[in-house]
Amino acid sequence: MWTLDELLDRVSAALTAEYSGAPNGRVRDVPDRRAVRWYATTGLVDRPSAMRGRTALYERRHLLQLVAVKRLQSQGRTLADIQAELAGADDTALAAIARVPEGLLEPGDAPSPQPVRPKFWAEPVAASAPKPREQAAALHGVALGGGAVVLVPGTPTAADVADIAAAAQPLLDLLAARGLLTNEREPS
């Protein structure tokens, strides 16, 4: 059995021999995943033979059906005509239309078992070593007037406070112009 991707790889390989492609260019040369699912929904191709979890599995007959559909489409046939012709066709009739090379009809290697995913919710969380906490720097406020305060790490000297106040004067002027300082606001 093959997954859908493996089946499509085989369809592509089968169509490389003696396949002229669709005559009008409106039909894909090789069906995509969506087309195969639609073909199965409409009965043009059999439904998947089995399911492995949510993965559909396909067999030799599916390969014959898909290649036969594409070969008939390359002759300009509509899907309705193809469906009528292939309805009830046995594998011998499909093989005659599809002309799939024998090597592609043989089942491939058995799919490798999917690795078992660990149950993350069942395992206790590994305790990690606590990270050393960084010492928070002490902040000191420098009052600028009008209720504005600048927080600075460390302890500023009187000269630092004067320099900060001088540098902050354009900011204070902007805040005052917008009425954002306490002594500049109207009482509410």
Side-chain angles (χ1 to χ4, degrees):
M1 293 200 182
W2 306 301
T3 64
L4 183 53
D5 289 331
E6 292 167 340
L7 175 66
L8 290 175
D9 288 343
R10 288 175 184 265
V11 169
S12 178
L15 290 173
T16 56
E18 303 175 29
Y19 181 65
S20 59
N24 58 13
R26 293 185 327 186
V27 179
R28 293 176 189 240
D29 287 339
V30 178
D32 60 5
R33 303 176 96 205
R34 187 174 179 189
V36 172
R37 289 185 189 111
W38 185 74
Y39 290 168
T41 300
T42 60
L44 194 59
V45 172
D46 293 346
R47 294 212 176 261
S49 299
M51 297 294 288
R52 181 178 59 216
R54 291 180 52 172
T55 303
L57 298 175
Y58 299 86
E59 295 180 293
R60 178 180 193 270
R61 180 169 173 81
H62 296 100
L63 176 61
L64 292 172
Q65 288 174 321
L66 287 170
V67 174
V69 166
K70 296 317 275 182
R71 291 209 191 274
L72 292 172
Q73 275 186 318
S74 73
Q75 297 170 5
R77 308 274 301 275
T78 67
L79 285 179
D81 292 340
I82 295 168
Q83 187 172 23
E85 181 176 339
L86 297 182
D90 62 3
D91 288 357
T92 305
L94 288 171
I97 297 169
R99 300 183 310 275
V100 175
E102 270 309 308
L104 293 174
L105 292 172
E106 297 171 9
D109 298 333
S112 59
Q114 298 294 322
V116 177
R117 293 175 55 186
K119 297 178 181 178
F120 65 90
W121 60 91
E123 300 294 324
V125 176
S128 59
K131 294 180 181 178
R133 296 182 78 182
E134 293 183 19
Q135 187 69 18
L139 296 177
H140 294 278
V142 176
L144 299 176
V149 177
V150 172
L151 297 176
V152 295
T155 307
T157 64
D160 293 332
V161 171
D163 291 341
I164 291 170
Q169 192 57 53
L171 175 62
L172 291 172
D173 293 341
L174 173 70
L175 294 173
R178 297 200 176 174
L180 297 173
L181 296 177
T182 55
N183 61 355
E184 301 293 326
R185 287 190 178 174
E186 294 182 20
S188 42

